[in-house]
Amino acid sequence: MRRGMSIFNVTSLTLGFAFLYLPIVLLVVYSFNDSRLVTVWGGFSTRWYTALLSNQQLLDAAWVTLRVALVTATVATVLGTLAALALTRMGRFRGRTLFAGMVYAPLVMPEVITGLSLLLLFVAIGLERGFWTVTLAHITFTLCFVAVVVQSRLVSFDRSLEEAAMDLGATPLKTFLTVTLPIISPAVAAGFMLAFTLSLDDLVIANFTSGPGATTLPMRIYSQVRLGVTPEINAVCTLFIVAVTALVLAVSLVTKRETLAREAAARAM
Amino acid sequence: MRRLSARANDIGRSRLVVAGPYLWLLLFFLAPFLIVLKISVSHDVIAQPPYAPVLDPSKGWAGMREFVGGLDLQNYAYVFGDAIFHESVLQSLVIAAVSTLIILLIGYPIAYGMARAPRRLRPLLLIAVILPFWTSFLIRVYAWMGILAREGFLNQTLRALGLIDEPLELLSTNTAVYIGIVYSYLPFMVLPLYAVLEKTDESLLEAAADLGAPPWKSFWLVTFPLSLPGIVAGSLLCFIPAVGEFVIPDLLGGSETLMLGKTLWTEFSVNRSWTVSAAVAVLMLIVLVGPILVYQHMQARSFEGGR
């Protein structure tokens, strides 16, 4: 805008971001509180973090969550990228409307419905609930997020590059691997990250589809949170936030560098 | 010729490309809904699985007839006669609609401020909005438990400022549910709004100014109408999941808070009635099918417009 930023805009941004971040900051601050009473500041301490290391239940849950999220993100990235390719590169195929509907619906579907319906499916086909049922459920809803992220990249890129490669005799597979995939790779990486964090974060769907021996970290946190606010949970949550934030920032830096490099290359051509 | 054969090849490859995700979604997204539908017209029994009738394919036609004859609408009759269910539907819709409106009122100025910020700042602001969205939903709701509690941060601050004498009862009320939903879903509104506002052609605003329109008028006549697609998308992204929200009413709400997601969960895990919770799920879907179809339509169109 010509006049630069108005006072109104600066104020709304400041208040908006304060609202978004203040609760998280308070949670982190109170995780270093020496007092067991979360509301009274008893001095700085890291004892809740040391206590975590001996909480075997929590560590087990964290390990389960990490494995579920890794398998989920890997499979969902492959399936989601294929779904995005089908939606953008295949024109009108039979059953496209149904397919598009199934890809977009889970984005807004209330989690209780997804969770309950998958649980009933697993029971109906006699699949025992545990690690794999949670993972299957997570792949199903996260692949749709991957598809949307990759699709938005696919619609905005220059198809003449693909056509040129094909005209020069590259097979469709080779064209995909050497032209399409490098161009969409930041979006694929972002989709992987999104699937990973959505899986890490999910409570409701896991609550329905998990079984004994596959308690995830959010399920464990939830069962303790219901009993009230404690500094240990603040500490777990802080570690969780730090890990996810670091991951997101790292990926956004990497993809940004790639974008810059690509733009520089495009300009040089 | 090569081009032609490449096209033919393309079609062959395409079938393979779509087969994987298509089959996956048919099996894990569509089929489960049909099962929910079927179980919603079944009966609870103490057995494994805990509902009846179960189709026994080995009995052939007779088994099929027996199966269909065993289905009825008694779960729906029960749910429709249940005051708790009525209240849940009403509260879910009201809480989700009012929250969505509040989110719009808070989110619009934020998105607008971001879109008008200096160009080099915008990516940073965008990451700042996305970051809390990537951080755990559960953790963000939990953070509010500590703030809204009787001896929590908010009451302490208000008391220290001398604004109140007695602590406010906030946690375990519908007010806390509103705060939780507004807070958790805010990025879902800001992101689509920012996307449309950032694309607004500034020459239109300059034209309006040149023709003598005061800023509020050019906002109302130019910017606002152009941002309508973002408003609709953001509102649907907040409203639909909020109707089925479970974590927020469970952790921040009180006994008076009845929302569909929580009712479904209670039927399932406390009352252990899979068939009634399936019926609640079906009814929730019927309530939401309109908004979901609008959302899908917009999502598909936004991609087709981008080609």
Side-chain angles (χ1 to χ4, degrees):
Chain A
M1 197 98 189
R2 288 159 298 167
R3 285 158 292 157
M5 284 190 62
S6 67
I7 295 172
F8 175 78
N9 287 344
V10 174
T11 317
S12 55
L13 281 182
T14 314
L15 289 178
F17 283 108
F19 177 59
L20 276 179
Y21 280 93
L22 193 64
I24 300 174
V25 170
L26 283 172
L27 183 138
V28 172
V29 167
Y30 276 100
S31 75
F32 293 105
N33 186 3
D34 194 40
S35 164
R36 179 157 262 291
L37 298 164
V38 269
T39 50
V40 183
W41 183 254
F44 181 87
S45 159
T46 52
R47 68 181 174 123
W48 306 115
Y49 288 90
T50 9
L52 287 183
L53 290 175
S54 52
N55 189 335
Q56 195 56 42
Q57 278 189 329
L58 218 52
L59 293 175
D60 287 346
W63 177 232
V64 170
T65 310
L66 206 59
R67 285 186 302 153
V68 170
L70 270 177
V71 178
T72 296
T74 310
V75 181
T77 304
V78 174
L79 288 173
T81 306
L82 290 178
L85 278 171
L87 286 172
T88 46
R89 291 290 184 267
M90 283 179 57
R92 310 236 136 251
F93 57 89
R94 206 183 299 164
R96 187 184 194 280
T97 314
L98 175 66
F99 184 60
M102 290 194 300
V103 171
Y104 300 137
L107 302 177
V108 285
M109 190 59 68
E111 290 167 313
V112 282
I113 297 184
T114 314
L116 179 73
S117 64
L118 280 164
L119 164 75
L120 295 179
L121 171 81
F122 295 143
V123 172
I125 60 178
L127 207 56
E128 201 174 318
R129 278 181 279 161
F131 176 85
W132 285 106
T133 48
V134 183
T135 310
L136 287 173
H138 280 185
I139 292 169
T140 307
F141 87 96
T142 56
L143 87 85
C144 303
F145 286 87
V146 177
V148 170
V149 172
V150 175
Q151 197 183 357
S152 61
R153 182 85 193 106
L154 276 170
V155 291
S156 67
F157 102 72
D158 189 0
R159 285 190 77 169
S160 60
L161 291 173
E162 285 176 341
E163 279 164 13
M166 301 258 240
D167 285 347
L168 292 171
T171 61
L173 184 65
K174 191 161 187 198
T175 308
F176 174 74
L177 291 177
T178 55
V179 179
T180 315
L181 195 57
I183 293 178
I184 62 170
S185 63
V188 174
F192 181 91
M193 274 297 306
L194 191 56
F196 187 81
T197 48
L198 283 169
S199 169
L200 277 189
D201 186 23
D202 169 66
L203 164 72
V204 177
I205 294 172
N207 240 347
F208 276 103
T209 54
S210 179
T215 307
T216 64
L217 192 57
M219 289 167 72
R220 180 69 63 199
I221 293 176
Y222 173 72
S223 64
Q224 291 187 16
V225 159
R226 297 202 63 177
L227 307 174
V229 179
T230 67
E232 282 118 321
I233 304 177
N234 281 32
V236 181
C237 294
T238 303
L239 290 178
F240 198 95
I241 292 170
V242 169
V244 171
T245 308
L247 221 58
V248 171
L249 289 181
V251 167
S252 71
L253 280 179
V254 168
T255 53
K256 203 171 162 210
R257 193 171 300 154
E258 272 179 39
T259 318
L260 289 177
R262 201 176 50 239
E263 274 164 11
R267 231 170 282 142
M269 274 205 290
Chain B
M1 254 334 268
R2 169 169 283 154
R3 187 67 184 267
L4 271 179
S5 67
R7 283 268 180 269
N9 234 334
D10 224 20
I11 292 166
R13 177 191 62 151
S14 296
R15 292 242 168 85
L16 272 177
V17 165
V18 77
Y22 211 133
L23 288 177
W24 187 284
L25 288 171
L26 281 179
L27 179 58
F28 292 112
F29 186 72
L30 199 62
F33 280 120
L34 301 178
I35 294 173
V36 169
L37 206 58
K38 182 250 144 184
I39 289 176
S40 74
V41 290
S42 306
H43 305 254
D44 286 309
V45 289
I46 299 174
Q48 195 62 338
Y51 49 81
V54 178
L55 181 60
D56 184 356
S58 63
K59 282 196 204 154
W61 267 114
M64 188 74 185
R65 255 204 308 275
E66 193 184 319
F67 169 73
V68 174
L71 303 175
D72 60 41
L73 293 173
Q74 70 161 34
N75 293 314
Y76 292 93
Y78 167 75
V79 166
F80 277 117
D82 186 18
I84 289 186
F85 178 75
H86 295 176
E87 186 62 28
S88 307
V89 174
L90 195 69
Q91 274 198 31
S92 286
L93 292 176
V94 170
I95 291 179
V98 174
S99 307
T100 303
L101 195 67
I102 301 173
I103 298 170
L104 179 63
L105 292 177
I106 298 179
Y108 203 104
I110 299 178
Y112 187 83
M114 285 168 64
R116 295 285 169 269
R119 199 167 283 279
R120 66 193 157 74
L121 269 183
R122 286 182 207 167
L124 202 67
L125 292 172
L126 200 58
I127 290 185
V129 173
I130 294 172
L131 212 52
F133 163 71
W134 291 60
T135 333
S136 170
F137 189 81
L138 174 63
I139 291 176
R140 284 180 293 144
V141 175
Y142 168 73
W144 279 99
M145 289 174 74
I147 295 175
L148 298 174
R150 219 183 134 76
E151 293 299 323
F153 178 78
L154 189 64
N155 274 323
Q156 283 186 13
T157 312
L158 290 177
R159 247 200 304 202
L161 293 172
L163 291 173
I164 51 166
D165 299 321
E166 283 296 302
L168 302 171
E169 288 298 340
L170 289 167
L171 194 60
S172 308
T173 65
N174 278 357
T175 314
V177 176
Y178 279 110
I179 295 175
I181 293 180
V182 168
Y183 178 72
S184 307
Y185 286 95
L186 188 59
F188 288 101
M189 182 68 87
V190 173
L191 294 175
L193 275 178
Y194 169 76
V196 291
L197 286 171
E198 207 225 352
K199 277 188 287 189
T200 308
D201 188 352
E202 282 182 20
S203 59
L204 291 174
L205 292 174
E206 282 167 19
D210 289 346
L211 293 170
W216 66 266
K217 200 166 181 184
S218 60
F219 170 80
W220 185 243
L221 292 176
V222 179
T223 313
F224 184 75
L226 286 175
S227 65
L228 275 174
I231 293 179
V232 176
S235 301
L236 290 172
L237 274 175
C238 296
F239 178 79
I240 302 169
V243 169
E245 185 53 55
F246 159 69
V247 178
I248 296 173
D250 190 51
L251 291 180
L252 298 178
S255 50
E256 96 235 24
T257 313
L258 289 169
M259 287 183 76
L260 274 174
K262 200 178 147 189
T263 306
L264 191 157
W265 177 256
T266 312
E267 279 301 335
F268 174 78
S269 69
V270 182
N271 301 348
R272 302 225 166 252
S273 174
W274 292 21
T275 62
V276 172
S277 47
V280 175
V282 170
L283 292 169
M284 197 197 294
L285 263 184
I286 291 173
V287 170
L288 292 177
V289 78
I292 290 177
L293 286 177
V294 174
Y295 172 78
Q296 283 180 339
H297 181 71
M298 288 189 66
Q299 185 71 259
R301 216 180 39 183
S302 78
F303 282 128
E304 257 123 57
R307 272 195 217 169

